[in-house]
Structures are given as C-alpha cells and as structure tokens.
Amino acid sequence: MKTNWKYKKWKDSPVSEYKDIETYIGMEVFPEDVELFSYILLPNTILYKDRVIMIDVDGNGDVVASIKKNFDDWNASHGGQVAQWMTNKTLVSNIFLNSITPETLSSTLIQIAKLIQHNWEYFLMKNYPDKRFVVEIGDIEWEDPYVTFYQQE
C-alpha cells in the first residue's frame, strides 16, 4: 500500500518519535471517523421493484421517496439495470466534498474506490444471496472515480 501524504508528513515530522502506521492510526484516527465511514462501506439499502438500491443513512421518508422517484424516471427511460446503476452511483470525491486538499492524490481516491468496491461486493453477497451483482469502478482515467452496483440480468 502506498503511504498517504498525511502519514508521511506525520512520520517525517521532527517532533514525531514514532514511525509506524499503527501508532499513527492510534494517535491520529478516531473511532468515530471509522464508524462514520462504515455508512459508506455498509450502505443502507432497500429492495425496490426487485432491485437493490441505496437510500440515505437515516432512511428519511422524503429522501427515500425522492430516490425512488429518480429510480422510476431512469427505469421508464432506460430500464431497471441502468436505473439501478445510476441510483447507486457514488462519486468518491463527493464523499469528501469539503475535505479533499491539494495534497490529496488521485491514487488515494482510487484506493478508496477499491475499498468501497470490495466491501459492497461482500455486503451485497451477504445480504442478498439470491441475487447476482456487478460492482464496478469507473472514471479511473479521469482520476475522479465512482463506484456503483447493479444486478445482473
């Protein structure tokens, strides 16, 4: 794994007597940060019109209704698989809207996309064992990846 700029800066700091990643995590990463990211890695989903779609974390009725309407619009114009693909599409940079810095490398976003992809594959397989999914990463060449999933037909 490549080391990210924050860890490298910490490790190379003259005041840091520690140099290992485990100590960095122990000193600089809070359990609440990991807990919050679990909402991305383990998405809140529902079965809607025999398709698995992601909904907001709180399951807010108005937001869920809006997501279903968007799904229905895509379904009417492009079919269920495209509707599911679009509804579940997550742009990695949007997750970190206000925390991406100039030092953030595109390789970091790509690594996060891969982490999300692997977690979603497992999550979907465990929670919907009777369905087959494709979980894909796109736009790597643009260095701003997205992750999405849809059911195979």
Side-chain angles (χ1 to χ4, degrees):
M1 178 174 95
K2 293 182 181 179
T3 56
N4 69 38
W5 68 269
K6 287 179 73 175
Y7 168 65
K8 185 170 176 9
K9 182 178 175 183
W10 175 84
K11 185 175 82 169
D12 295 343
S13 168
V15 297
S16 177
E17 62 185 86
Y18 304 103
K19 304 297 178 194
D20 61 290
I21 191 120
E22 291 83 7
T23 302
Y24 172 79
I25 291 169
M27 295 178 77
E28 301 293 328
V29 178
F30 294 93
E32 294 80 7
D33 298 333
V34 176
E35 178 186 36
L36 286 172
F37 202 67
S38 73
Y39 295 115
I40 303 299
L41 299 178
L42 306 168
N44 198 8
T45 58
I46 60 169
L47 192 59
Y48 179 65
K49 298 188 176 179
D50 202 37
R51 297 280 179 176
V52 177
I53 58 172
M54 294 191 309
I55 59 172
D56 70 311
V57 171
D58 298 322
N60 178 298
D62 293 338
V63 175
V64 173
S66 175
I67 291 168
K68 287 178 177 179
K69 182 183 180 327
N70 288 340
F71 178 91
D72 289 340
D73 292 345
W74 279 106
N75 191 28
S77 61
H78 293 88
Q81 196 174 54
V82 170
Q84 190 178 28
W85 188 95
M86 288 299 297
T87 302
N88 296 326
K89 183 179 175 185
T90 302
L91 191 63
V92 176
S93 62
N94 282 353
I95 296 169
F96 304 101
L97 191 58
N98 291 319
S99 58
I100 292 180
T101 67
E103 294 87 2
T104 302
L105 300 174
S106 61
S107 62
T108 298
L109 297 179
I110 292 167
Q111 283 300 108
I112 292 169
K114 289 177 182 178
L115 175 65
I116 294 169
Q117 179 187 37
H118 290 292
N119 276 268
W120 285 5
E121 287 169 344
Y122 181 75
F123 173 84
L124 292 166
M125 180 179 65
K126 269 311 244 188
N127 289 286
Y128 302 96
D130 59 323
K131 300 190 180 304
R132 291 184 24 182
F133 295 92
V134 174
V135 182
E136 67 181 34
I137 298 172
D139 288 348
I140 290 176
E141 65 279 2
W142 298 105
E143 301 180 345
D144 192 8
Y146 66 80
V147 185
T148 191
F149 67 85
Y150 57 91
Q151 288 161 230
Q152 292 181 326
E153 299 196 342

CSV table of all heavy atoms in Angstrom, one decimal, residues 50-102:
chain,number,residue,atom,x,y,z
A,50,ASP,N,-37.9,-5.1,-7.1
A,50,ASP,CA,-37.0,-6.2,-7.3
A,50,ASP,C,-35.5,-5.8,-7.6
A,50,ASP,O,-34.7,-6.6,-8.1
A,50,ASP,CB,-37.4,-7.2,-8.3
A,50,ASP,CG,-36.8,-8.6,-8.1
A,50,ASP,OD1,-36.6,-9.0,-6.9
A,50,ASP,OD2,-36.5,-9.3,-9.1
A,51,ARG,N,-35.2,-4.6,-7.3
A,51,ARG,CA,-33.8,-4.0,-7.4
A,51,ARG,C,-33.3,-3.5,-6.1
A,51,ARG,O,-34.1,-2.9,-5.3
A,51,ARG,CB,-33.8,-2.9,-8.4
A,51,ARG,CG,-34.2,-3.2,-9.8
A,51,ARG,CD,-33.1,-3.9,-10.5
A,51,ARG,NE,-33.5,-4.3,-11.9
A,51,ARG,CZ,-32.6,-4.8,-12.7
A,51,ARG,NH1,-31.4,-5.0,-12.4
A,51,ARG,NH2,-33.1,-5.1,-13.9
A,52,VAL,N,-32.1,-3.8,-5.8
A,52,VAL,CA,-31.5,-3.3,-4.6
A,52,VAL,C,-31.0,-1.9,-4.9
A,52,VAL,O,-30.2,-1.7,-5.8
A,52,VAL,CB,-30.3,-4.2,-4.1
A,52,VAL,CG1,-29.6,-3.6,-2.9
A,52,VAL,CG2,-30.9,-5.6,-3.8
A,53,ILE,N,-31.4,-0.9,-4.1
A,53,ILE,CA,-31.0,0.5,-4.2
A,53,ILE,C,-30.5,1.0,-2.9
A,53,ILE,O,-31.0,0.7,-1.8
A,53,ILE,CB,-32.0,1.4,-4.9
A,53,ILE,CG1,-33.3,1.4,-4.1
A,53,ILE,CG2,-32.2,1.0,-6.3
A,53,ILE,CD1,-34.3,2.5,-4.6
A,54,MET,N,-29.6,1.9,-2.9
A,54,MET,CA,-29.1,2.6,-1.7
A,54,MET,C,-30.0,3.7,-1.4
A,54,MET,O,-30.5,4.4,-2.2
A,54,MET,CB,-27.7,3.1,-1.9
A,54,MET,CG,-26.7,2.1,-2.1
A,54,MET,SD,-25.0,2.6,-2.1
A,54,MET,CE,-24.9,4.0,-3.2
A,55,ILE,N,-30.2,3.9,-0.1
A,55,ILE,CA,-31.0,5.0,0.4
A,55,ILE,C,-30.1,5.8,1.5
A,55,ILE,O,-29.1,5.3,1.8
A,55,ILE,CB,-32.4,4.6,1.0
A,55,ILE,CG1,-32.2,3.6,2.2
A,55,ILE,CG2,-33.2,4.0,0.0
A,55,ILE,CD1,-33.4,3.3,3.0
A,56,ASP,N,-30.6,6.9,1.9
A,56,ASP,CA,-29.8,7.7,2.9
A,56,ASP,C,-29.7,6.9,4.2
A,56,ASP,O,-30.4,6.0,4.5
A,56,ASP,CB,-30.5,9.1,3.1
A,56,ASP,CG,-31.8,9.0,3.8
A,56,ASP,OD1,-32.6,8.2,3.5
A,56,ASP,OD2,-31.9,9.8,4.8
A,57,VAL,N,-28.7,7.4,5.0
A,57,VAL,CA,-28.4,6.7,6.2
A,57,VAL,C,-29.6,6.6,7.2
A,57,VAL,O,-29.8,5.6,7.8
A,57,VAL,CB,-27.2,7.4,6.9
A,57,VAL,CG1,-26.9,6.9,8.3
A,57,VAL,CG2,-26.0,7.3,6.0
A,58,ASP,N,-30.3,7.7,7.3
A,58,ASP,CA,-31.4,7.7,8.3
A,58,ASP,C,-32.7,7.1,7.8
A,58,ASP,O,-33.6,6.9,8.5
A,58,ASP,CB,-31.7,9.2,8.7
A,58,ASP,CG,-30.4,9.8,9.3
A,58,ASP,OD1,-29.8,9.1,10.1
A,58,ASP,OD2,-30.2,11.0,9.1
A,59,GLY,N,-32.8,6.8,6.4
A,59,GLY,CA,-34.0,6.3,5.9
A,59,GLY,C,-35.1,7.3,5.9
A,59,GLY,O,-36.3,6.9,6.0
A,60,ASN,N,-34.8,8.6,5.8
A,60,ASN,CA,-35.7,9.7,5.9
A,60,ASN,C,-36.8,9.5,4.7
A,60,ASN,O,-36.4,9.3,3.6
A,60,ASN,CB,-35.0,11.0,5.7
A,60,ASN,CG,-35.9,12.2,5.6
A,60,ASN,OD1,-36.7,12.3,4.7
A,60,ASN,ND2,-35.7,13.1,6.6
A,61,GLY,N,-38.0,9.5,5.1
A,61,GLY,CA,-39.1,9.3,4.1
A,61,GLY,C,-39.1,10.1,2.9
A,61,GLY,O,-39.3,9.6,1.8
A,62,ASP,N,-38.8,11.4,3.1
A,62,ASP,CA,-38.8,12.3,1.9
A,62,ASP,C,-37.6,12.0,1.0
A,62,ASP,O,-37.8,12.0,-0.2
A,62,ASP,CB,-38.7,13.8,2.4
A,62,ASP,CG,-40.0,14.3,3.1
A,62,ASP,OD1,-41.0,13.7,2.9
A,62,ASP,OD2,-39.9,15.2,3.9
A,63,VAL,N,-36.5,11.7,1.6
A,63,VAL,CA,-35.3,11.4,0.8
A,63,VAL,C,-35.5,10.1,0.0
A,63,VAL,O,-35.2,9.9,-1.2
A,63,VAL,CB,-34.0,11.4,1.6
A,63,VAL,CG1,-32.8,10.9,0.8
A,63,VAL,CG2,-33.8,12.8,2.2
A,64,VAL,N,-36.1,9.1,0.7
A,64,VAL,CA,-36.3,7.8,0.1
A,64,VAL,C,-37.3,7.9,-1.0
A,64,VAL,O,-37.1,7.3,-2.1
A,64,VAL,CB,-36.8,6.8,1.2
A,64,VAL,CG1,-37.2,5.5,0.5
A,64,VAL,CG2,-35.7,6.5,2.2
A,65,ALA,N,-38.3,8.7,-0.8
A,65,ALA,CA,-39.3,9.0,-1.9
A,65,ALA,C,-38.7,9.6,-3.1
A,65,ALA,O,-39.0,9.2,-4.2
A,65,ALA,CB,-40.5,9.9,-1.4
A,66,SER,N,-37.8,10.5,-2.9
A,66,SER,CA,-37.0,11.2,-4.0
A,66,SER,C,-36.1,10.2,-4.7
A,66,SER,O,-36.1,10.2,-5.9
A,66,SER,CB,-36.2,12.3,-3.4
A,66,SER,OG,-35.4,12.9,-4.4
A,67,ILE,N,-35.5,9.3,-4.0
A,67,ILE,CA,-34.6,8.3,-4.6
A,67,ILE,C,-35.4,7.3,-5.4
A,67,ILE,O,-35.1,7.0,-6.5
A,67,ILE,CB,-33.8,7.6,-3.5
A,67,ILE,CG1,-32.8,8.5,-2.9
A,67,ILE,CG2,-33.1,6.3,-4.1
A,67,ILE,CD1,-32.1,8.0,-1.6
A,68,LYS,N,-36.6,6.9,-4.9
A,68,LYS,CA,-37.5,6.0,-5.6
A,68,LYS,C,-38.0,6.7,-6.9
A,68,LYS,O,-38.1,6.1,-8.0
A,68,LYS,CB,-38.6,5.6,-4.8
A,68,LYS,CG,-38.3,4.6,-3.7
A,68,LYS,CD,-39.5,4.3,-2.8
A,68,LYS,CE,-39.2,3.2,-1.8
A,68,LYS,NZ,-40.4,2.9,-1.0
A,69,LYS,N,-38.3,8.0,-6.8
A,69,LYS,CA,-38.8,8.7,-8.0
A,69,LYS,C,-37.7,8.8,-9.0
A,69,LYS,O,-37.9,8.6,-10.2
A,69,LYS,CB,-39.3,10.1,-7.6
A,69,LYS,CG,-39.8,10.9,-8.9
A,69,LYS,CD,-40.2,12.3,-8.6
A,69,LYS,CE,-40.8,13.0,-9.8
A,69,LYS,NZ,-40.2,12.7,-11.1
A,70,ASN,N,-36.5,9.1,-8.6
A,70,ASN,CA,-35.3,9.1,-9.6
A,70,ASN,C,-35.2,7.8,-10.2
A,70,ASN,O,-34.9,7.6,-11.4
A,70,ASN,CB,-34.0,9.6,-8.9
A,70,ASN,CG,-34.0,11.0,-8.6
A,70,ASN,OD1,-34.8,11.8,-9.1
A,70,ASN,ND2,-33.2,11.4,-7.6
A,71,PHE,N,-35.2,6.7,-9.4
A,71,PHE,CA,-35.2,5.3,-9.9
A,71,PHE,C,-36.3,5.1,-11.0
A,71,PHE,O,-36.0,4.6,-12.1
A,71,PHE,CB,-35.2,4.3,-8.8
A,71,PHE,CG,-35.2,2.9,-9.3
A,71,PHE,CD1,-34.0,2.2,-9.4
A,71,PHE,CD2,-36.4,2.2,-9.7
A,71,PHE,CE1,-34.0,0.9,-9.9
A,71,PHE,CE2,-36.4,0.9,-10.1
A,71,PHE,CZ,-35.1,0.3,-10.3
A,72,ASP,N,-37.5,5.5,-10.6
A,72,ASP,CA,-38.6,5.3,-11.5
A,72,ASP,C,-38.4,6.0,-12.9
A,72,ASP,O,-38.7,5.5,-13.9
A,72,ASP,CB,-39.9,5.7,-10.9
A,72,ASP,CG,-40.4,4.8,-9.8
A,72,ASP,OD1,-39.9,3.6,-9.8
A,72,ASP,OD2,-41.2,5.2,-8.9
A,73,ASP,N,-37.9,7.3,-12.8
A,73,ASP,CA,-37.6,8.0,-14.0
A,73,ASP,C,-36.6,7.3,-14.9
A,73,ASP,O,-36.8,7.2,-16.1
A,73,ASP,CB,-37.2,9.5,-13.7
A,73,ASP,CG,-38.3,10.3,-13.0
A,73,ASP,OD1,-39.5,9.9,-13.1
A,73,ASP,OD2,-37.9,11.3,-12.4
A,74,TRP,N,-35.5,6.9,-14.3
A,74,TRP,CA,-34.5,6.2,-15.1
A,74,TRP,C,-35.0,4.9,-15.6
A,74,TRP,O,-34.7,4.5,-16.7
A,74,TRP,CB,-33.2,5.9,-14.2
A,74,TRP,CG,-32.3,7.1,-14.1
A,74,TRP,CD1,-32.2,7.9,-13.0
A,74,TRP,CD2,-31.5,7.6,-15.1
A,74,TRP,NE1,-31.3,8.9,-13.3
A,74,TRP,CE2,-30.8,8.7,-14.6
A,74,TRP,CE3,-31.2,7.2,-16.4
A,74,TRP,CZ2,-29.9,9.5,-15.3
A,74,TRP,CZ3,-30.3,8.0,-17.1
A,74,TRP,CH2,-29.6,9.1,-16.6
A,75,ASN,N,-35.8,4.2,-14.8
A,75,ASN,CA,-36.4,2.9,-15.2
A,75,ASN,C,-37.3,3.1,-16.4
A,75,ASN,O,-37.2,2.3,-17.3
A,75,ASN,CB,-37.1,2.3,-14.0
A,75,ASN,CG,-37.5,0.9,-14.2
A,75,ASN,OD1,-36.9,0.1,-15.0
A,75,ASN,ND2,-38.6,0.4,-13.6
A,76,ALA,N,-38.1,4.1,-16.4
A,76,ALA,CA,-39.0,4.4,-17.5
A,76,ALA,C,-38.3,4.7,-18.8
A,76,ALA,O,-38.7,4.3,-19.9
A,76,ALA,CB,-40.0,5.5,-17.1
A,77,SER,N,-37.2,5.4,-18.7
A,77,SER,CA,-36.4,5.8,-19.9
A,77,SER,C,-35.3,4.8,-20.3
A,77,SER,O,-35.0,4.8,-21.5
A,77,SER,CB,-35.9,7.2,-19.7
A,77,SER,OG,-34.9,7.2,-18.6
A,78,HIS,N,-34.8,4.1,-19.4
A,78,HIS,CA,-33.6,3.3,-19.7
A,78,HIS,C,-33.6,1.8,-19.2
A,78,HIS,O,-32.7,1.1,-19.5
A,78,HIS,CB,-32.3,3.9,-19.2
A,78,HIS,CG,-32.0,5.2,-19.9
A,78,HIS,ND1,-32.5,6.4,-19.4
A,78,HIS,CD2,-31.2,5.5,-20.9
A,78,HIS,CE1,-32.0,7.4,-20.2
A,78,HIS,NE2,-31.2,6.8,-21.1
A,79,GLY,N,-34.6,1.5,-18.4
A,79,GLY,CA,-34.7,0.1,-17.9
A,79,GLY,C,-34.2,0.0,-16.5
A,79,GLY,O,-33.4,0.9,-16.0
A,80,GLY,N,-34.5,-1.1,-15.9
A,80,GLY,CA,-34.1,-1.3,-14.5
A,80,GLY,C,-32.7,-1.4,-14.2
A,80,GLY,O,-32.2,-0.9,-13.1
A,81,GLN,N,-31.9,-2.0,-15.0
A,81,GLN,CA,-30.4,-2.1,-14.8
A,81,GLN,C,-29.7,-0.8,-14.8
A,81,GLN,O,-28.9,-0.5,-13.9
A,81,GLN,CB,-29.8,-3.1,-15.8
A,81,GLN,CG,-28.4,-3.6,-15.4
A,81,GLN,CD,-27.9,-4.6,-16.3
A,81,GLN,OE1,-27.8,-4.4,-17.5
A,81,GLN,NE2,-27.5,-5.8,-15.8
A,82,VAL,N,-30.1,0.0,-15.8
A,82,VAL,CA,-29.5,1.4,-15.8
A,82,VAL,C,-30.0,2.2,-14.7
A,82,VAL,O,-29.2,3.0,-14.1
A,82,VAL,CB,-29.8,2.1,-17.2
A,82,VAL,CG1,-29.4,3.5,-17.2
A,82,VAL,CG2,-29.1,1.3,-18.3
A,83,ALA,N,-31.3,2.1,-14.3
A,83,ALA,CA,-31.8,2.8,-13.2
A,83,ALA,C,-31.1,2.5,-11.9
A,83,ALA,O,-30.8,3.4,-11.1
A,83,ALA,CB,-33.3,2.5,-13.1
A,84,GLN,N,-30.8,1.2,-11.7
A,84,GLN,CA,-30.1,0.8,-10.5
A,84,GLN,C,-28.7,1.3,-10.6
A,84,GLN,O,-28.1,1.8,-9.6
A,84,GLN,CB,-30.1,-0.8,-10.5
A,84,GLN,CG,-29.6,-1.3,-9.2
A,84,GLN,CD,-29.7,-2.8,-9.2
A,84,GLN,OE1,-29.7,-3.5,-10.2
A,84,GLN,NE2,-29.8,-3.4,-8.0
A,85,TRP,N,-28.0,1.2,-11.7
A,85,TRP,CA,-26.7,1.7,-11.9
A,85,TRP,C,-26.6,3.2,-11.5
A,85,TRP,O,-25.7,3.6,-10.8
A,85,TRP,CB,-26.2,1.5,-13.4
A,85,TRP,CG,-24.8,1.8,-13.7
A,85,TRP,CD1,-23.8,0.9,-13.7
A,85,TRP,CD2,-24.2,3.0,-14.0
A,85,TRP,NE1,-22.6,1.5,-14.0
A,85,TRP,CE2,-22.8,2.8,-14.2
A,85,TRP,CE3,-24.7,4.3,-14.2
A,85,TRP,CZ2,-22.0,3.8,-14.6
A,85,TRP,CZ3,-23.8,5.3,-14.5
A,85,TRP,CH2,-22.5,5.1,-14.8
A,86,MET,N,-27.5,4.0,-12.0
A,86,MET,CA,-27.5,5.4,-11.8
A,86,MET,C,-27.8,5.7,-10.3
A,86,MET,O,-27.2,6.6,-9.7
A,86,MET,CB,-28.5,6.1,-12.7
A,86,MET,CG,-28.0,6.2,-14.1
A,86,MET,SD,-26.4,7.1,-14.4
A,86,MET,CE,-26.9,8.7,-13.8
A,87,THR,N,-28.8,5.0,-9.8
A,87,THR,CA,-29.3,5.3,-8.4
A,87,THR,C,-28.2,5.0,-7.4
A,87,THR,O,-28.0,5.7,-6.4
A,87,THR,CB,-30.5,4.5,-8.1
A,87,THR,OG1,-31.5,4.8,-9.0
A,87,THR,CG2,-31.0,4.8,-6.7
A,88,ASN,N,-27.4,4.0,-7.7
A,88,ASN,CA,-26.3,3.6,-6.7
A,88,ASN,C,-25.0,4.2,-7.0
A,88,ASN,O,-24.0,3.9,-6.2
A,88,ASN,CB,-26.2,2.0,-6.7
A,88,ASN,CG,-27.5,1.4,-6.2
A,88,ASN,OD1,-28.2,1.9,-5.4
A,88,ASN,ND2,-27.9,0.3,-6.8
A,89,LYS,N,-24.8,5.0,-8.0
A,89,LYS,CA,-23.6,5.5,-8.4
A,89,LYS,C,-23.1,6.5,-7.3
A,89,LYS,O,-23.8,7.4,-6.9
A,89,LYS,CB,-23.7,6.2,-9.7
A,89,LYS,CG,-22.4,6.8,-10.2
A,89,LYS,CD,-22.6,7.5,-11.6
A,89,LYS,CE,-21.3,8.2,-12.0
A,89,LYS,NZ,-21.5,8.9,-13.3
A,90,THR,N,-21.9,6.3,-6.8
A,90,THR,CA,-21.3,7.2,-5.8
A,90,THR,C,-20.0,7.7,-6.3
A,90,THR,O,-19.0,6.9,-6.5
A,90,THR,CB,-21.1,6.4,-4.5
A,90,THR,OG1,-22.4,5.9,-4.1
A,90,THR,CG2,-20.5,7.2,-3.4
A,91,LEU,N,-19.9,9.0,-6.4
A,91,LEU,CA,-18.6,9.6,-6.8
A,91,LEU,C,-17.8,9.8,-5.6
A,91,LEU,O,-18.2,10.4,-4.6
A,91,LEU,CB,-18.9,11.0,-7.5
A,91,LEU,CG,-17.8,11.7,-8.2
A,91,LEU,CD1,-17.3,10.9,-9.4
A,91,LEU,CD2,-18.2,13.1,-8.6
A,92,VAL,N,-16.6,9.2,-5.6
A,92,VAL,CA,-15.8,9.2,-4.4
A,92,VAL,C,-15.4,10.6,-3.9
A,92,VAL,O,-15.5,10.8,-2.7
A,92,VAL,CB,-14.5,8.3,-4.6
A,92,VAL,CG1,-13.6,8.4,-3.4
A,92,VAL,CG2,-14.8,6.9,-4.9
A,93,SER,N,-15.1,11.5,-4.8
A,93,SER,CA,-14.8,12.8,-4.4
A,93,SER,C,-16.0,13.5,-3.7
A,93,SER,O,-15.8,14.4,-2.8
A,93,SER,CB,-14.3,13.7,-5.5
A,93,SER,OG,-15.3,13.8,-6.5
A,94,ASN,N,-17.2,13.1,-4.0
A,94,ASN,CA,-18.4,13.8,-3.3
A,94,ASN,C,-18.5,13.3,-1.9
A,94,ASN,O,-19.1,14.0,-1.1
A,94,ASN,CB,-19.7,13.4,-4.1
A,94,ASN,CG,-19.8,14.2,-5.3
A,94,ASN,OD1,-19.1,15.2,-5.6
A,94,ASN,ND2,-20.8,13.9,-6.1
A,95,ILE,N,-18.0,12.1,-1.6
A,95,ILE,CA,-18.0,11.7,-0.2
A,95,ILE,C,-17.2,12.6,0.7
A,95,ILE,O,-17.5,12.9,1.8
A,95,ILE,CB,-17.4,10.3,-0.1
A,95,ILE,CG1,-18.3,9.3,-0.8
A,95,ILE,CG2,-17.3,9.8,1.4
A,95,ILE,CD1,-17.7,7.9,-1.0
A,96,PHE,N,-16.1,13.2,0.1
A,96,PHE,CA,-15.2,14.0,0.9
A,96,PHE,C,-15.2,15.4,0.4
A,96,PHE,O,-14.2,16.1,0.3
A,96,PHE,CB,-13.7,13.5,0.7
A,96,PHE,CG,-13.6,12.1,1.2
A,96,PHE,CD1,-13.6,11.0,0.2
A,96,PHE,CD2,-13.6,11.7,2.5
A,96,PHE,CE1,-13.5,9.7,0.7
A,96,PHE,CE2,-13.5,10.4,2.9
A,96,PHE,CZ,-13.4,9.4,2.0
A,97,LEU,N,-16.4,15.9,0.1
A,97,LEU,CA,-16.6,17.2,-0.6
A,97,LEU,C,-15.8,18.3,0.0
A,97,LEU,O,-15.2,19.1,-0.8
A,97,LEU,CB,-18.1,17.5,-0.5
A,97,LEU,CG,-18.6,18.7,-1.3
A,97,LEU,CD1,-18.3,18.4,-2.8
A,97,LEU,CD2,-20.1,18.9,-1.1
A,98,ASN,N,-15.8,18.5,1.3
A,98,ASN,CA,-15.1,19.6,1.8
A,98,ASN,C,-13.7,19.3,2.5
A,98,ASN,O,-13.1,20.1,3.1
A,98,ASN,CB,-15.9,20.3,2.9
A,98,ASN,CG,-17.1,21.0,2.3
A,98,ASN,OD1,-17.0,21.6,1.2
A,98,ASN,ND2,-18.3,20.8,2.9
A,99,SER,N,-13.3,18.0,2.3
A,99,SER,CA,-12.0,17.7,2.9
A,99,SER,C,-10.9,17.2,2.0
A,99,SER,O,-9.9,16.8,2.4
A,99,SER,CB,-12.3,16.6,4.0
A,99,SER,OG,-12.9,15.4,3.4
A,100,ILE,N,-11.1,17.3,0.7
A,100,ILE,CA,-10.1,17.0,-0.3
A,100,ILE,C,-9.2,18.2,-0.4
A,100,ILE,O,-9.6,19.3,-0.6
A,100,ILE,CB,-10.7,16.6,-1.7
A,100,ILE,CG1,-11.4,15.3,-1.5
A,100,ILE,CG2,-9.6,16.5,-2.7
A,100,ILE,CD1,-12.0,14.8,-2.8
A,101,THR,N,-7.9,18.0,-0.2
A,101,THR,CA,-6.9,19.1,-0.2
A,101,THR,C,-6.1,19.0,-1.5
A,101,THR,O,-6.1,17.9,-2.2
A,101,THR,CB,-6.0,19.0,1.0
A,101,THR,OG1,-5.2,17.8,0.9
A,101,THR,CG2,-6.8,19.0,2.3
A,102,PRO,N,-5.3,20.0,-1.8
A,102,PRO,CA,-4.5,19.9,-3.0
A,102,PRO,C,-3.5,18.7,-2.9
A,102,PRO,O,-3.0,18.2,-3.9
A,102,PRO,CB,-3.7,21.2,-3.0
A,102,PRO,CG,-4.7,22.2,-2.3
A,102,PRO,CD,-5.3,21.3,-1.3
